[in-house]
Amino acid sequence: MKKYLIKTYGCQMNVHESEKLAGILENMGYQPCDKNEDADIILFNTCAIRESAEQKIFAHIGELKKIKAANRNLIIAICGCMSQQDGYAQNIVKKFPFVDIILGTHNISELQSFIEKRQNTKKKVVDIKETEDISNRDLMPKKRTSGINAWVNIMYGCNNFCTYCIVPYVRGREVSRPIIAIKQEVEELVEQGYKQITLLGQNVNSYGNDFADSDVTFANLLKELDQIDGDFRLTFMTSHPKDISNEVIDIIANSKHIMHYLHLPVQSGSDKILKAMNRRYTAKNYLSKIDYAKKKIPDMEFSSDIIVGFPGETEEDFEGTIQLVQKVGYEQLFMFIYSKRRGTVAEKMDNQVDLATKKERLKRLIELQNQIGTKIAEKYIGKTEKVLVSDVHPKKKGFVIGTTFTNKNVNFPGDKTLIGKVVDVKITASKLTVLFGEMEG
Ligand code: 5AD
Ligand code: SF4
């Protein structure tokens, strides 16, 4: 039996694309394995969002030199955002001559023909494309690996060109899938028993902007999907604050399935920095959207992404971020040190912040968020929550893990028969952001 190993880096988009790549490999007769030594093909699905991701991936590819020397038939393939960057494929070939196949973000659906070409010709296959017909990607078989959750792409690419971000360069322009195709996929997944559907797009709020039909909007998509019968939760990522409408919030407020959780990346609390980032909203606009959501959906939880040390960020700008974080009260924050990306507008800004300052700001923000997150978790103590059980606890025997309708993680005593069920859990304690409780009834 031939074996495959996929190493996935980066965001949920990549996690889901790896499920599609696994689908192709399994159709070809490959079975999954966990060890480099056992694999006939090792595929790196790469990320380019920050330099640290790239360094990690390069180190991991380097580790395969010996394994390839011991197993000449092993195929090593690289795909994803890192290989799509200008000049990277050539660099990878030079640096790692033992790599067999390189494809970008637009031709992953061709993996099978690339593998066959390599096997037939014994030559390297390197091909990066600039665009694609997205129906190829939609038609890829999927080997879903995320338990009770199923990812569903609603669109690909990004048109925003935030000045720090590499994504529009490596993922291309926004292309949406038709509502009917998405609805059909979600209906099938619900029928198959998936209990949580997570819609994916770099900027879900601009879903449908590329269609002539003005009825194809994210709000209408949500309305359609919420009408599907069955026991499931619906959530989505990622939203852009400039595009999320009050209508979307109203739909969530009146929906049956859509979770009371919103990931709304703010990036900075300083208007000067937001402008330099080309985010096209102010801290005040952002806060007014959060206030509207809090008013309409009082139990809504929020999370966000923040970049510290963007070029030109002064202590005063950073204070703006601190104040905004305090005002919103995020359940969770993903905090990053600004990383220069080649080809972006911010790369050329001459007011880069030094690393020591960036690290110190990150540390302060993490400390603040720990306090906020802890307080938010404590609010749940004494309440009874509807918890969707996703799995047995990976370490604590006799415990299961799950999430509230507001996306808070909960641990409580239980066994695997509960997986996929929604149960009432009385919350008795919390530790940092995690809740602990006991099943009722
Ligand atoms: N440096 C640091 N963080 C970045 N992100 C995107 N580009 C960069 C960069 N160059 C962060 C943003 C985005 C998240 C996915 O990654 O916060 O929302
Ligand atoms: Fe990058 Fe901005 Fe697009 Fe998000 S919206 S992927 S941060 S360019």
Side-chain angles (χ1 to χ4, degrees):
M1 192 73 85
K2 294 181 294 180
K3 298 233 162 66
Y4 73 91
L5 177 55
I6 301 182
K7 297 176 188 264
T8 307
Y9 301 84
C11 63
Q12 283 77 14
M13 193 68 81
N14 266 14
V15 171
H16 184 38
E17 278 179 357
S18 288
E19 294 181 337
K20 299 182 186 180
L21 293 157
I24 291 186
L25 292 168
E26 297 212 355
N27 272 7
M28 291 176 73
Y30 286 90
Q31 289 295 311
C33 70
D34 313 316
K35 283 208 208 104
N36 289 335
E37 291 77 10
D38 296 339
D40 297 287
I41 176 161
I42 300 177
L43 172 60
F44 288 81
N45 190 7
T46 63
C47 170
I49 199 93
R50 282 169 287 275
E51 203 186 339
S52 53
E54 281 186 5
Q55 282 166 349
K56 190 160 82 186
I57 297 165
F58 279 138
H60 290 175
I61 301 173
E63 285 164 13
L64 294 186
K65 191 176 175 184
K66 273 197 204 126
I67 291 168
K68 177 83 181 195
N71 175 8
R72 304 304 302 171
N73 293 326
L74 170 67
I75 294 179
I76 299 176
I78 323 264
C79 71
C81 293
M82 195 174 93
S83 42
Q84 186 73 32
Q85 286 184 85
D86 235 3
Y88 268 60
Q90 287 73 19
N91 278 345
I92 294 170
V93 170
K94 252 195 241 144
K95 218 168 151 176
F96 307 106
F98 53 88
V99 167
D100 302 282
I101 294 173
I102 305 180
L103 20 88
T105 57
H106 295 293
N107 53 355
I108 56 167
S109 60
E110 294 176 70
L111 180 65
Q112 175 163 358
S113 67
F114 278 52
I115 294 172
E116 287 164 355
K117 220 189 221 167
R118 166 71 198 176
Q119 283 165 336
N120 295 338
T121 64
K122 304 268 177 270
K123 284 202 182 116
K124 271 188 211 313
V125 192
V126 179
D127 187 6
I128 310 293
K129 290 203 169 65
E130 290 308 318
T131 52
E132 75 174 312
D133 175 354
I134 62 154
S135 54
N136 291 339
R137 222 182 312 179
D138 289 349
L139 291 171
M140 285 170 75
K142 298 167 193 81
K143 162 84 192 320
R144 297 192 180 270
T145 54
S146 303
I148 59 159
N149 175 73
W151 311 103
V152 174
N153 284 116
I154 64 166
M155 60 195 298
Y156 304 97
C158 180
N159 290 357
N160 286 315
F161 289 93
C162 301
T163 55
Y164 49 82
C165 188
I166 194 83
V167 168
Y169 302 92
V170 293
R171 291 261 168 195
R173 295 296 71 71
E174 289 171 5
V175 189
S176 305
R177 294 176 66 196
I179 289 191
I180 189 160
I182 299 168
K183 193 170 180 195
Q184 193 186 337
E185 186 174 346
V186 174
E187 278 169 345
E188 282 169 13
L189 291 166
V190 171
E191 212 157 281
Q192 286 164 24
Y194 286 95
K195 299 296 176 194
Q196 182 169 315
I197 307 292
T198 307
L199 307 178
L200 290 178
Q202 243 78 43
N203 176 13
V204 291
N205 311 100
S206 58
Y207 168 77
N209 285 357
D210 51 319
F211 284 118
D213 181 350
S214 59
D215 282 343
V216 186
T217 63
F218 186 55
N220 285 342
L221 174 70
L222 285 181
K223 262 196 243 166
E224 282 279 331
L225 299 181
D226 193 51
Q227 279 163 20
I228 295 174
D229 280 338
D231 282 335
F232 70 99
R233 289 176 175 181
L234 186 63
T235 185
F236 52 85
M237 62 177 57
T238 294
S239 294
H240 195 303
K242 79 175 161 56
D243 296 316
I244 191 165
S245 61
N246 286 352
E247 192 190 359
V248 164
I249 301 297
D250 295 343
I251 290 167
I252 302 173
N254 297 317
S255 82
K256 190 170 162 212
H257 300 288
I258 309 172
M259 289 173 73
H260 289 181
Y261 164 69
L262 184 63
H263 180 60
L264 196 60
V266 67
Q267 312 297 359
S268 168
S270 148
D271 288 346
K272 181 190 97 190
I273 296 296
L274 288 170
K275 190 152 194 277
M277 287 175 162
N278 190 31
R279 292 291 287 177
R280 287 172 278 172
Y281 54 83
T282 60
K284 202 168 154 215
N285 298 150
Y286 180 91
L287 287 168
S288 73
K289 300 218 175 184
I290 295 274
D291 285 344
Y292 185 80
K294 283 182 175 172
K295 200 171 82 204
K296 289 279 167 157
I297 309 164
D299 67 344
M300 184 95 138
E301 296 291 3
F302 302 90
S303 62
S304 198
D305 295 345
I306 290 191
I307 296 177
V308 299
F310 183 82
E313 185 187 75
T314 61
E315 186 54 32
E316 197 187 335
D317 295 319
F318 180 66
E319 270 304 315
T321 300
I322 295 271
Q323 279 169 21
L324 182 135
V325 166
Q326 279 167 331
K327 275 188 197 144
V328 177
Y330 293 106
E331 185 268 320
Q332 210 184 147
L333 264 190
F334 302 91
M335 297 163 266
F336 309 106
I337 283 182
Y338 167 73
S339 166
K340 235 189 206 184
R341 302 285 62 209
R342 213 172 66 193
T344 60
V345 171
E347 181 205 3
K348 284 151 208 105
M349 293 179 179
D350 55 12
N351 44 2
Q352 303 285 332
V353 176
D354 65 89
L355 186 61
T357 307
K358 286 183 193 168
K359 282 189 174 163
E360 188 269 331
R361 287 182 189 159
L362 180 68
K363 190 163 163 261
R364 269 154 67 196
L365 196 57
I366 291 172
E367 276 163 15
L368 171 66
Q369 181 53 33
N370 281 344
Q371 289 167 20
I372 295 173
T374 304
K375 271 215 188 95
I376 288 182
E378 284 167 357
K379 260 186 356 197
Y380 283 79
I381 296 175
K383 289 188 184 166
T384 297
E385 293 288 320
K386 297 250 174 262
V387 175
L388 170 59
V389 181
S390 54
D391 210 341
V392 291
H393 196 288
K395 291 192 199 117
K396 254 166 58 189
K397 219 170 163 241
F399 277 73
V400 290
I401 55 173
T403 44
T404 66
F405 200 59
T406 57
N407 205 37
K408 292 291 302 167
N409 292 326
V410 189
N411 290 355
F412 62 98
D415 61 29
K416 65 173 193 253
T417 59
L418 294 175
I419 295 174
K421 296 203 168 106
V422 175
V423 290
D424 285 329
V425 176
K426 172 120 181 172
I427 307 301
T428 53
S430 68
K431 193 172 173 202
L432 291 173
T433 59
V434 180
L435 308 177
F436 299 86
E438 263 155 44
M439 218 158 69
E440 283 190 335

